[in-house]
Amino acid sequence: MHAPKSLSDSELILLFKNGDRKAYEEIYFRYWAVLFGHARKMLNDDEDAQDLVQDVFSIFWTKGAQVNITHSLPAYLYSMMRYKIFDYISHQKIKSEYILSLADFIEKNEYSADYRVREKQMEAIIAKEIAALPSKMREVFELSRRSHLSYREIADELGISENTVKNQINNALKILRSKLGTVIFTLFF
């Protein structure tokens, strides 16, 4: 077998589809910097760009073996990246509109139908991000925030230590803060 670095993209894809982890790693190393550069240029934020590139490669890892790449591998990965960027920007726009709407509401002290629609959209985004948490972390977080149980009560109910509960909640809050942004996070949590 050839070293993965000497193989063409087509050969790497074939090997990857047959379960070769080294082929995936080579694809990752070959295209990570290019995708990061594109995302960084579009978003002007290194951390968000890194997150989106990681998302693209996570999806490629889980679904790539079933995907039929009709054009080139770079074109396929670039199109995945572009979709992720547009999805991210659309979520940011909803968050931004919500913040502006909330500021307007506070200023005018009005509660409009538009505000309720935006509130529902934001609640849906938050619910989606909470649902994306790892299952145990999500369970602990929901018992704390939705059922309003204390760390001790959660620990007793799940048969884990209070320290584990505290760590799970802190980790969930870090994840949500990074995904939702500081302003939205402070409004809801």
Side-chain angles (χ1 to χ4, degrees), residues 161-184:
S161 74
E162 278 187 69
N163 199 36
T164 300
V165 171
K166 181 180 177 184
N167 289 339
Q168 289 285 25
I169 289 173
N170 285 337
N171 290 337
L173 291 172
K174 283 179 191 171
I175 291 169
L176 293 172
R177 188 177 296 117
S178 74
K179 295 288 185 183
L180 298 171
T182 306
V183 174
I184 298 301

Side-chain angles (χ1 to χ4, degrees), residues 52-177:
L52 292 182
V53 173
Q54 287 306 117
D55 287 350
V56 165
F57 279 107
S58 292
I59 293 166
F60 186 69
W61 172 253
T62 56
K63 298 183 180 176
Q66 295 87 28
V67 172
N68 184 20
I69 299 174
T70 55
H71 299 301
S72 70
L73 177 60
Y76 177 77
L77 292 172
Y78 177 78
S79 109
M80 285 179 68
M81 186 78 251
R82 208 173 61 199
Y83 171 78
K84 277 299 204 186
I85 290 169
F86 290 147
D87 187 50
Y88 175 82
I89 290 170
S90 125
H91 278 85
Q92 292 302 94
K93 183 178 177 198
I94 290 171
K95 286 186 226 177
S96 177
E97 287 173 359
Y98 179 79
I99 292 168
L100 291 173
S101 173
L102 183 60
D104 190 47
F105 166 73
I106 291 168
E107 190 176 300
K108 294 179 181 175
N109 199 18
E110 295 175 355
Y111 193 78
S112 66
D114 184 51
Y115 175 79
R116 286 190 292 268
V117 167
R118 290 174 199 242
E119 184 177 38
K120 291 293 182 202
Q121 289 174 329
M122 187 53 61
E123 286 172 0
I125 290 170
I126 291 169
K128 179 182 169 194
E129 293 301 337
I130 290 172
L133 292 171
S135 61
K136 288 292 182 191
M137 185 184 294
R138 183 179 65 246
E139 182 180 17
V140 169
F141 183 79
E142 287 178 338
L143 287 172
S144 170
R145 294 307 192 261
R146 291 197 177 139
S147 300
H148 307 290
L149 298 181
S150 69
Y151 288 179
R152 165 70 25 223
E153 292 168 325
I154 296 169
D156 290 344
E157 183 169 323
L158 299 178
I160 57 178
S161 74
E162 278 187 69
N163 199 36
T164 300
V165 171
K166 181 180 177 184
N167 289 339
Q168 289 285 25
I169 289 173
N170 285 337
N171 290 337
L173 291 172
K174 283 179 191 171
I175 291 169
L176 293 172
R177 188 177 296 117

